[in-house]
C-alpha cells in the first residue's frame, strides 16, 4: 500500500511459489542434510563453521559480501556443481543468489548492523530462508550450532509469508545544494515532505563529508561549485577495505587534494605506488581479501573518467589484478575449507548413477579421479586419511569401486592351478605375484590359512581360503614327502607302539629330533621297529634322529613356517654353519625345523654333527677317552674353546687336565636313567593301605643258621 501511495501508476507482477517452506527445527552441524546453506553473521563465524564442516563432512563453499564478485561466483559455482554439498555464508546469499539449496540453517539469529547487535526481523529471516526449495521442490529452514530455537509466531510468519506492513521507507534528498559546504551538509539532512518517507540514518559518505568540513584546508579548497562537487564525489568512495574511520578519511582527503591541484588528476606515481603494493598473490585468506579490497578501491577510482590521466589503461590493469587476486583467493578458500578427495568420495557414495572408478594394471584404485588405495591380489590397502571421516569415505568408496573386481579375483583364485601359487619362507602364500594369505596354525598336512583382505562375498572368500589350504597341503606333500610317508604308515598301522610315537614326534618337529630327548624310547625299540623306521628314511645318528631327505632348503622353509606360527619371530640361523643361540632362545620346534641340535650356547646343524661323529669314530682312544685333533676342528670351522664348549654341551667331559695348547681328552658322560615318579594317592581312599603295601619292598626273611650236628662220643 505504501509503494502504491508513493507511486500511483506502479504495476505489480506476482509469481506464486510452487513449493512449500517449512521449519525443520534445530540440527547439529554434523547432522545437517546435504545441499544445506549455513548462515552466520561474521567472517570469523563463517570460517569456523566451514572448517568444522570440512573435517566432518568433506568441505564447504564460502560466500560473503566482502568477497569480490568473481570469487563469490566461483564459490557458488563450486557448490552448484555438486563438488561440495554445503555452503557457509553471511546473509549476502539472501540477495541475488539463486542456488540449489534444500535446507537453510541459521547459526545465529542476531547480527551487527554497523552500529549495534540486533535481532533479525521476520522479513530478513524469510528472505534468507527462502533460498531453500526451488520451483516444485520443497525446502526447509532451521537453526544450528548455538542458535536458539525460533518461536512459533516467527515460524508461522516465515512459513505463511505474512509480515507486518511497511509504514515508512528511508529517504535522502537528491536535491543537493552546492553553493557552499555548509549548504551541502544542510541539504543532506533536509527532512522529507511526503508522508511515508523518513530521513535515512547518516551514511558513510555523509559522515565523511561532515568530518572533512571541519578541516580548514578542505574548507578553503571546497569553495566553488566545481570543487564542492569533487569533494562530494570523493566522499562517496566506498570503504571496501573496512578500515578505521581515520584511515578512510585520510585517503579521501588525499584524493580530494590531488583532484583540486593544478592538473586536477590523481598523480600517476601515486596510483602506481598503490597498485604495485597490491600486485602480489602470496599470503593467506585474510591478507588476500584485504589486498583485494584495496584493488577494488583503485578500480573505483579508475572507473571515474575525470580522476586519472589514462583511465582505460588503469581500468584494464586493476581489472586484471582483481581477477588474479580473486582466483587466488578462491583457490585458498578451497584449500582451507574443502578436502576435495573426501568430498568427491562422499559425493560418490550418495550418487545414484554409476561412479567413475577403476583399477590400474599396477593395482592403483581411483574414484572420481582421486586415488583411494591399492589392490594387491585380493587385498585392498586404502590410503590413510587425515580424519576419521576421510578414512570412512575411503573405505566406503573402496567397497563400491573394487567390490566387483575383488569378487572376480576371488573366483579366479579359487579355480586356479597349483602352478599359480608359491610358498614363502615366512609362511605367506603368493598368487600370481601378490600375497594372498598366510599360515596361522595347524600342521603341514592339516594347515589353517588366513585369506588376506575382507572384501568380497563371504562364500567366495571361504571357498578361496580352502583353496589356499589345499595348495599348502599339496606343497607340503611335495616338500615333506618323507613326513607324509611316516604319517601314512601311522594311519595304515605299519608303525605301532614306540615306533609310532617316535614317528609322531618327528613329524611334529619337522624331521629332526634331538636324540637326548628320546634316549629311552630309542633304547626300547626292537630291531624290527628300527628296521621299519629306517625303511621309511629315518636315520639313527649319534646325536639326532632325523630324516636326511628333509635336510633341504625347501623342506626347512615349510617346516619353519609352521613352527614359527604365533611366535612373532623369524630367526634365520647361518645355513650349514654353527650359530650362537639368540636371547631368548627359539623353541625346540623351531630349532628342529631348522635342522639344528642345541649344544650349550650353540645351535649346530645335524650335518655338522654327523661329521663330528665320523671324526670321533676314526680317532684312537687315549687314556680312556678321545682327542679331537686340530685338523678336525679346522674342517668343522671351530676353534679349540668352541670345540670344547660344544663337546661339553653334547654331554662330554674331560678325562684329565691338559696343558695350555694341548688337545683335551674327553669321553661321554654316563647317562643316568631318569626316575619315574609314582603318582600320589589320596590317604582317604580305602585302597590306600593296600596300595602302600604293594609299593613296599619285599625282603626275604632271614633264615636261622642250621646247627651243625655234633657226634656224640661213643661209650665204651
Amino acid at each position: 500500500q505504501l509503494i502504491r501511495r508513493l507511486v500511483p501508476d506502479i504495476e505489480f507482477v506476482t509469481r506464486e511459489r510452487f513449493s512449500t517452506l517449512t521449519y525443520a527445527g534445530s540440527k547439529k552441524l554434523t547432522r545437517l542434510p546435504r545441499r544445506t546453506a549455513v548462515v552466520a553473521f561474521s567472517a570469523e563465524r563463517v570460517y569456523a563453521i566451514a572448517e568444522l564442516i570440512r573435517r566432518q563432512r568433506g568441505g564447504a563453499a564460502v560466500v560473503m559480501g566482502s568477497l569480490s564478485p568473481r570469487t563469490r561466483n566461483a564459490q557458488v559455482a563450486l557448490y552448484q556443481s555438486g563438488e561440495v554439498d554445503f555452503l557457509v555464508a553471511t546473509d549476502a546469499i539472501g540477495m541475488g543468489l539463486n542456488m540449489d539449496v534444500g535446507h537453510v540453517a541459521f547459526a545465529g539469529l542476531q547480527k551487527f548492523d554497523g552500529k549495534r547487535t540486533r535481532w533479525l526481523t521476520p522479513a530478513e529471516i524469510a528472505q534468507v530462508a527462502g533460498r531453500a526449495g526451488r520451483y516444485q521442490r520443497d525446502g526447509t529452514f532451521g537453526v544450528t550450532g548455538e542458535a536458539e530455537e525460533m518461536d512459533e509466531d516467527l515460524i508461522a510468519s516465515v512459513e505463511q509469508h505474512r509480515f507486518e506492513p511497511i509504514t515508512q521507507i528511508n529517504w535522502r534528498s537528491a536535491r543537493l545544494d552546492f553553493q557552499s559546504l555548509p549548504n551541502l551538509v544542510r541539504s543532506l539532512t533536509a527532512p522529507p515532505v511526503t508522508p511515508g518517507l523518513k530521513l535515512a540514518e547518516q551514511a558513510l559518505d555523509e559522515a565523511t563529508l561532515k568530518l572533512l568540513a571541519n578541516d580548514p584546508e578542505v574548507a578553503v579548497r571546497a569553495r566553488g561549485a566545481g570543487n564542492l562537487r569533487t569533494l562530494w564525489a570523493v566522499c562517496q568512495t566506498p570503504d571496501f577495505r573496512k578500515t578505521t574511520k581515520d584511515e578512510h578519511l585520510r585517503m579521501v582527503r588525499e584524493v580530494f587534494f590531488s583532484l583540486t591541484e593544478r592538473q586536477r588528476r590523481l598523480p600517476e606515481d601515486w596510483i602506481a605506488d598503490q597498485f604495485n603494493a597490491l600486485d602480489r598473490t602470496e599470503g593467506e585468506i585474510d591478507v588476500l581479501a584485504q589486498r583485494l579490497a584495496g584493488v577494488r578501491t583503485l578500480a573505483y577510482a579508475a572507473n571515474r573518467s575525470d580522476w586519472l590521466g589514462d583511465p582505460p589503461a588503469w581500468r584494464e590493469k586493476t581489472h586484471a589484478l582483481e581477477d588474479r587476486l580473486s582466483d587466488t583467493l578462491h583457490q585458498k578458500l578451497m584449500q582451507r575449507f574443502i578436502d576435495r578427495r573426501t568430498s568427491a568420495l562422499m559425493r560418490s557414495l550418495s550418487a545414484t548413477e554409476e561412479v567413475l572408478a577403476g583399477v590400474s594394471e599396477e593395482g592403483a584404485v581411483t574414484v572420481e579421479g582421486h586415488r583411494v588405495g591399492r589392490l594387491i591380489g585380493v587385498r585392498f590397502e586404502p590410503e590413510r586419511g587425515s580424519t576419521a571421516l576421510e578414512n570412512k569415505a575411503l573405505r566406503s568408496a573402496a567397497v563400491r569401486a573394487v567390490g566387483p573386481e575383488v569378487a572376480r579375483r576371488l573366483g579366479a583364485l579359487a579355480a586356479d592351478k597349483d602352478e599359480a601359487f608359491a610358498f614363502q619362507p615366512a609362511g605367506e602364500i603368493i598368487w600370481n605375484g601378490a600375497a594372498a594369505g598366510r599360515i596361522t596354525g595347524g600342521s603341514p598336512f592339516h594347515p589353517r590359512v588366513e585369506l588376506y583382505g575382507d572384501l568380497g562375498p563371504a562364500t567366495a572368500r571361504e571357498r578361496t581360503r580352502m583353496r589356499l589350504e589345499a595348495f599348502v597341503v599339496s606343497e607340503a606333500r611335495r616338500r615333506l614327502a618323507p613326513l607324509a610317508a611316516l604319517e601314512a604308515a601311522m594311519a595304515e598301522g605299519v608303525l605301532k607302539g614306540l615306533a609310532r610315537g617316535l614317528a609322531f614326534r618327528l613329524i611334529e618337529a619337522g624331521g629332526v629330533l634331538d636324540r637326548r630327548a628320546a634316549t629311552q624310547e630309542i633304547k626300547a625299540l626292537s630291531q624290527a621297529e628300527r628296521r621299519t623306521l629306517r625303511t621309511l628314511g629315518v636315520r639313527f645318528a649319534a646325536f639326532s634322529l632325523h630324516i636326511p631327505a628333509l635336510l633341504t632348503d625347501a623342506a626347512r622353509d615349510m617346516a619353519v613356517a609352521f613352527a614359527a606360527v604365533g611366535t612373532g619371530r623369524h630367526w634365520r640361523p647361518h645355513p650349514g654353519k654353527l650359530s650362537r643361540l639368540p636371547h631368548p632362545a627359539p623353541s625346540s620346534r623351531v630349532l628342529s625345523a631348522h635342522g639344528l641340535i642345541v649344544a650349550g650356547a650353540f645351535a649346530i646343524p645335524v650335518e655338522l654333527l654327523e661329521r663330528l661323529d665320523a671324526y670321533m669314530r676314526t680317532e684312537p682312544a687315549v687314556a680312556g677317552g678321545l682327542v679331537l685333533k686340530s685338523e678336525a676342528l679346522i674342517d668343522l670351522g671351530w676353534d679349540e674353546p668352541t670345540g670344547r664348549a660344544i663337546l661339553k654341551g653334547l654331554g662330554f667331559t674331560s678325562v684329565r687336565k691338559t696343558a695350555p695348547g694341548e688337545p683335551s681328552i674327553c669321553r661321554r658322560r654316563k647317562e643316568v636313567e631318569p626316575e619315574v615318579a609314582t603318582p600320589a594317592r589320596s590317604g582317604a581312599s580305602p585302597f590306600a593301605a593296600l596300595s602302600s603295601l604293594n609299593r613296599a619292598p619285599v625282603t626275604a626273611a632271614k633264615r636261622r643258621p642250621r646247627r651243625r650236628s655234633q657226634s656224640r662220643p661213643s661209650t665204651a
Side-chain angles (χ1 to χ4, degrees):
Q1 296 295 329
L2 175 61
I3 296 177
R4 190 180 298 279
R5 189 169 66 249
L6 293 172
V7 188
D9 57 346
I10 192 172
E11 179 182 356
F12 290 93
V13 178
T14 60
R15 293 288 184 267
E16 293 294 331
R17 182 179 179 121
F18 296 124
S19 59
T20 59
L21 182 64
T22 55
Y23 183 66
S26 177
K27 297 180 184 292
K28 292 183 178 180
L29 280 168
T30 56
R31 299 291 183 182
L32 292 174
R34 296 175 59 248
R35 312 309 293 168
T36 288
V38 183
V39 180
F41 296 97
S42 69
E44 293 78 9
R45 188 67 179 141
V46 167
Y47 290 160
I49 293 173
E51 178 65 25
L52 178 61
I53 292 177
R54 184 194 70 82
R55 293 196 306 266
Q56 299 292 336
R57 308 297 292 274
V62 173
V63 172
M64 296 185 296
S66 60
L67 299 179
S68 68
R70 185 181 180 92
T71 302
R72 187 167 60 247
N73 292 340
Q75 289 287 304
V76 170
L78 193 67
Y79 173 82
Q80 284 294 93
S81 67
E83 186 165 347
V84 293
D85 286 324
F86 299 91
L87 177 74
V88 185
T90 60
D91 53 350
I93 66 168
M95 299 296 292
L97 290 178
N98 295 322
M99 296 169 294
D100 179 22
V101 176
H103 179 74
V104 171
F106 289 86
L109 297 177
Q110 293 178 301
K111 66 175 291 185
F112 181 75
D113 61 4
K115 293 184 177 180
R116 67 185 185 279
T117 300
R118 62 172 178 80
W119 291 95
L120 298 174
T121 66
E124 289 173 329
I125 292 176
Q127 181 67 30
V128 176
R131 302 306 96 192
R134 276 290 177 265
Y135 190 49
Q136 296 182 347
R137 189 179 63 195
D138 297 337
T140 58
F141 69 101
V143 294
T144 187
E146 300 176 358
E148 299 178 0
E149 285 273 11
M150 296 184 184
D151 61 63
E152 295 182 358
D153 292 339
L154 175 59
I155 294 171
S157 178
V158 174
E159 289 181 341
Q160 300 170 21
H161 206 71
R162 290 188 292 103
F163 310 106
E164 294 181 2
I166 298 175
T167 59
Q168 289 183 318
I169 296 178
N170 289 331
W171 174 89
R172 189 171 72 175
S173 175
R175 297 178 179 179
L176 301 182
D177 186 352
F178 291 100
Q179 295 299 317
S180 67
L181 184 55
N183 287 354
L184 176 60
V185 172
R186 192 164 39 250
S187 64
L188 285 170
T189 58
V193 295
T194 304
L197 300 179
K198 69 172 182 177
L199 184 63
E201 294 184 358
Q202 180 176 274
L204 176 64
D205 53 0
E206 183 181 348
T208 303
L209 178 66
K210 288 181 177 180
L211 290 172
L212 289 177
N214 296 324
D215 186 331
E217 293 187 43
V218 173
V220 171
R221 285 179 179 256
R223 293 173 182 173
N227 283 358
L228 193 55
R229 289 180 182 276
T230 300
L231 175 61
W232 176 238
V234 174
C235 288
Q236 290 179 295
T237 303
D239 185 16
F240 293 112
R241 301 176 297 169
K242 302 298 181 185
T243 58
T244 63
K245 184 181 297 184
D246 290 342
E247 188 173 349
H248 180 68
L249 191 67
R250 187 164 47 251
M251 188 270 294
V252 172
R253 183 178 186 275
E254 186 177 359
V255 171
F256 173 66
F257 276 30
S258 296
L259 295 178
T260 54
E261 295 289 346
R262 181 177 301 178
Q263 295 182 353
R264 308 189 69 81
R265 293 286 186 273
L266 288 173
E268 287 289 318
D269 293 343
W270 180 88
I271 193 170
D273 291 342
Q274 297 283 331
F275 181 87
N276 293 334
L278 300 171
D279 190 11
R280 292 177 294 149
T281 57
E282 72 276 4
E284 295 304 318
I285 292 175
D286 292 339
V287 175
L288 289 170
Q290 187 66 23
R291 199 174 293 151
L292 188 56
V295 174
R296 294 179 70 189
T297 301
L298 292 184
Y300 178 84
N303 278 276
R304 298 298 300 254
S305 58
D306 55 340
W307 285 16
L308 296 171
D310 189 2
W314 282 111
R315 279 198 294 269
E316 183 178 351
K317 284 185 177 182
T318 55
H319 181 70
L321 179 55
E322 182 178 349
D323 286 350
R324 290 200 306 275
L325 290 172
S326 297
D327 293 342
T328 304
L329 180 58
H330 172 61
Q331 293 298 324
K332 291 288 185 178
L333 290 170
M334 290 176 59
Q335 291 173 11
R336 179 171 173 182
F337 299 122
I338 299 176
D339 186 336
R340 305 195 72 169
R341 181 172 68 170
T342 302
S343 179
L345 297 179
M346 296 295 291
R347 186 172 66 254
S348 70
L349 299 181
S350 57
T352 56
E353 65 273 8
E354 184 178 355
V355 177
L356 181 60
V359 182
S360 68
E361 293 182 359
E362 295 78 19
V365 180
T366 56
V367 175
E368 297 294 330
H370 297 275
R371 183 185 174 105
V372 299
R374 186 182 177 200
L375 187 61
I376 305 173
V378 295
R379 175 181 58 187
F380 174 70
E381 292 184 350
E383 295 279 322
R384 183 173 295 277
S386 57
T387 63
L389 171 68
E390 187 175 0
N391 287 328
K392 179 181 178 181
L394 287 169
R395 169 72 182 172
S396 301
V399 172
R400 186 168 182 177
V402 305
E405 175 63 16
V406 170
R408 185 194 69 78
R409 293 190 181 191
L410 288 173
L413 189 153
D416 227 335
K417 298 181 179 180
D418 282 355
E419 290 74 14
F421 301 92
F423 186 87
Q424 295 291 89
E428 277 195 325
I429 301 132
I430 308 300
W431 175 61
N432 289 334
R438 65 183 179 91
I439 293 171
T440 58
S443 64
F445 308 120
H446 306 281
R448 292 195 304 273
V449 172
E450 173 195 7
L451 176 66
Y452 284 156
D454 54 2
L455 298 182
T459 54
R461 292 187 58 81
E462 179 61 17
R463 186 165 56 250
T464 303
R465 189 190 65 79
M466 293 175 64
R467 176 66 186 93
L468 294 180
E469 288 183 348
F471 162 73
V472 173
V473 172
S474 174
E475 189 72 2
R477 293 191 179 281
R478 183 180 69 83
R479 297 188 182 200
L480 308 176
L483 290 185
L486 277 180
E487 189 175 73
M490 291 168 58
E492 295 168 2
V494 175
L495 294 176
K496 299 178 181 179
L498 288 175
R500 179 186 176 89
L502 283 172
F504 178 81
R505 292 178 66 181
L506 270 172
I507 294 173
E508 190 178 45
V512 176
L513 193 62
D514 192 330
R515 184 155 183 156
R516 290 169 294 181
T519 301
Q520 302 304 320
E521 292 91 333
I522 294 174
K523 284 184 177 180
L525 286 175
S526 67
Q527 291 299 321
E529 289 172 329
R530 287 174 178 264
R531 192 162 43 249
T532 302
L533 288 172
R534 288 193 181 98
T535 302
L536 292 169
V538 178
R539 175 174 172 79
F540 292 84
F543 303 102
S544 65
L545 191 68
H546 66 274
I547 303 175
L550 296 179
L551 300 179
T552 63
D553 292 339
R556 285 175 177 169
D557 288 343
M558 176 71 74
V560 168
F562 280 92
V565 168
T567 63
R569 300 176 62 193
H570 296 285
W571 176 57
R572 304 297 294 182
H574 301 295
K577 296 181 179 180
L578 184 72
S579 298
R580 186 173 289 275
L581 289 173
H583 180 78
S587 66
S588 58
R589 188 179 179 189
V590 171
L591 290 166
S592 298
H594 279 292
L596 301 173
I597 300 297
V598 174
F602 300 98
I604 310 172
V606 293
E607 303 97 313
L608 274 183
L609 291 177
E610 288 284 271
R611 288 162 58 187
L612 173 63
D613 181 55
Y615 281 117
M616 287 182 171
R617 292 178 183 276
T618 58
E619 292 295 331
V622 177
L626 58 89
V627 177
L628 195 59
K629 295 182 179 180
S630 58
E631 294 82 358
L633 291 174
I634 293 173
D635 182 59
L636 293 170
W638 307 338
D639 55 21
E640 176 67 25
T642 302
R644 187 180 297 110
I646 290 173
L647 290 175
K648 183 179 179 180
L650 292 173
F652 288 82
T653 183
S654 297
V655 174
R656 58 181 173 81
K657 291 184 178 180
T658 57
E662 181 182 353
S664 59
I665 303 172
C666 57
R667 67 166 179 264
R668 190 187 295 270
R669 286 190 295 266
K670 291 184 178 180
E671 296 176 357
V672 181
E673 295 288 341
E675 295 184 2
V676 180
T678 305
R681 299 178 184 272
S682 172
S685 170
F687 299 100
L690 179 60
S691 175
S692 62
L693 289 175
N694 290 338
R695 293 199 304 272
V698 179
T699 58
K702 292 185 178 181
R703 299 178 65 184
R704 298 178 64 183
R706 182 183 298 176
R707 280 189 178 183
R708 184 176 299 175
S709 59
Q710 296 179 357
S711 58
R712 294 182 180 180
S714 60
T715 58

